[in-house]
Amino acid sequence: MNNYYAQSYGKAQELMYRVFGWMSFALMLTGITSYYVYSVEALRLAIFGNSFIIFGLFIAQIALVVVLSSYIVQISYGAALVLFALYAILSGITLSSIFMIYTMGSIFLTFFVAAAMFAAMALYGALTKHDLTSMGSFLSMTLFGMIIVMLVNLFLQSSVLDLLTAMVGVVVFAGLTAWDMQKLKMLAHQIDSRNVLIDNIAVIVALQLYLDFINLFLSLLRIMGERKK
């Protein structure tokens, strides 16, 4: 019995390490790609000077998330990693635009604030004894509503509405971080009995937390970011 619990704990710990390892790798890949695209003027102008390329990048990112989420158990571990890395690179390309809008100092400051908030909410999700399922469902619905408002604001161009959606975004993605972390903790303890591929599960959970962090960072940047003059 003790040997079973020791093996179960070892697998749970292994899953946690892999999730945060791949999430950190993806964030590093995104950051390097983002700054590289911004630094190479010809590449930057080629990408952001063509609306079809921008649209294609967004469609490709959505497609990758759908594929990973839908077929994560069916595809190989190597394929899952390649798709995740590709998503991180595509995100880096689109996110390179923030260097054209905001000052470098405010970007770095916002990144550290986002990292601190993410860590705090992840810790809360891992340690709390409260079931966050209902909160997660509410936040997910709020997220869909926020996306609709942001799409409408593309036509309205309201700075007040943009600020309000950014503030809501901070709350939503901070809460989703705690929820996803609680789901990860529960999954870590059940993974042996569910008999699923720990490698593939680590990739998809890493993607979920990666998206939480990126969107939390972008929401904070819209509030804290100092625009270039």
Side-chain angles (χ1 to χ4, degrees):
M1 183 66 71
N2 289 336
N3 185 51
Y4 169 80
Y5 283 117
Q7 289 181 347
S8 179
Y9 176 78
K11 288 189 176 183
Q13 194 174 45
E14 181 183 359
L15 177 62
M16 292 283 189
Y17 286 149
R18 293 194 183 192
V19 166
F20 285 102
W22 287 124
M23 177 194 164
S24 300
F25 170 74
L27 287 173
M28 181 180 67
L29 197 57
T30 296
I32 292 173
T33 303
S34 182
Y35 191 72
Y36 175 77
V37 171
Y38 168 73
S39 301
V40 181
E41 185 178 5
L43 182 59
R44 184 177 74 240
L45 293 176
I47 293 172
F48 293 100
N50 191 321
S51 58
F52 289 105
I53 293 179
I54 299 299
F55 183 72
L57 286 171
F58 281 117
I59 294 299
Q61 286 176 259
I62 294 172
L64 283 172
V65 170
V66 171
V67 170
L68 275 170
S69 301
S70 303
Y71 300 101
I72 189 63
V73 179
Q74 300 174 27
I75 61 179
S76 67
Y77 177 49
L81 283 180
V82 168
L83 291 176
F84 187 26
L86 181 58
Y87 182 85
I89 291 172
L90 293 179
S91 294
I93 295 173
T94 55
L95 287 176
S96 62
S97 61
I98 66 174
F99 292 105
M100 296 184 283
I101 301 171
Y102 300 99
T103 63
M104 196 69 70
S106 66
I107 290 174
F108 281 114
L109 175 61
T110 305
F111 179 86
F112 287 117
V113 171
M117 286 188 65
F118 179 89
M121 295 308 296
L123 191 62
Y124 172 74
L127 298 179
T128 185
K129 297 186 182 301
H130 297 291
D131 185 357
L132 302 179
T133 302
S134 58
M135 182 189 79
S137 301
F138 173 75
L139 291 174
S140 297
M141 290 187 293
T142 304
L143 175 59
F144 283 116
M146 188 181 75
I147 292 173
I148 293 173
V149 173
M150 290 174 66
L151 290 174
V152 171
N153 200 38
L154 289 176
F155 301 97
L156 298 179
Q157 295 293 309
S158 170
S159 58
V160 174
L161 197 56
D162 182 67
L163 179 61
L164 287 174
T165 54
M167 294 170 67
V168 172
V170 170
V171 176
V172 167
F173 292 111
L176 287 176
T177 297
W179 184 40
D180 285 335
M181 190 62 198
Q182 186 175 77
K183 288 192 297 181
L184 171 59
K185 183 183 72 172
M186 295 172 62
L187 180 63
H189 292 297
Q190 298 170 0
I191 196 165
D192 183 55
S193 60
R194 290 189 180 188
N195 193 29
V196 295
L197 296 173
I198 187 172
D199 294 327
N200 291 45
I201 293 301
V203 173
I204 194 62
V205 178
L207 174 62
Q208 292 173 344
L209 290 171
Y210 167 91
L211 290 172
D212 290 338
F213 179 83
I214 289 293
N215 285 290
L216 176 62
F217 166 69
L218 291 176
S219 296
L220 283 169
L221 189 61
R222 287 159 60 197
I223 300 171
M224 299 174 53
E226 181 183 349
R227 292 179 175 268
K228 290 183 175 179
K229 298 178 181 178

